[in-house]
């Protein structure tokens, strides 16, 4: 029972990480397309880095 909960938590961490990664990529693409400032590019890059961290954290557990 506890093992299933742990595996579910790991999978949820990976899914959240991948969603953050995709959302960060979308923000960067939208910022480039709209000609927005470097703040939006930095937000997208930080969100992508956080997503990679979460996805890697899920892989490491």
């Amino acid at each position: 029972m506890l093992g299933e909960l742990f595996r579910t938590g790991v999978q949820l961490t990976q899914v959240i990480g991948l969603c953050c990664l995709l959302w960060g990529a979308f923000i960067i693409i939208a910022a480039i397309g709209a000609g927005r400032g470097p703040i939006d590019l930095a937000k997208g890059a930080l969100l992508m880095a956080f997503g990679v961290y979460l996805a890697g954290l899920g892989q490491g557990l």
Side-chain angles (χ1 to χ4, degrees), residues 30-51:
I32 291 171
R36 305 279 303 216
I39 296 292
D40 288 333
L41 293 173
K43 285 192 289 189
L46 286 174
L47 194 57
M48 284 180 68
F50 181 67

Side-chain angles (χ1 to χ4, degrees), residues 4-34:
E4 290 296 322
L5 286 175
F6 179 73
R7 280 181 274 199
T8 301
V10 167
Q11 289 177 350
L12 190 60
T13 302
Q14 288 177 338
V15 168
I16 291 171
L18 292 175
C19 287
C20 287
L21 181 65
L22 290 174
W23 188 252
F26 174 73
I27 288 175
I28 288 176
I29 290 169
I32 291 171

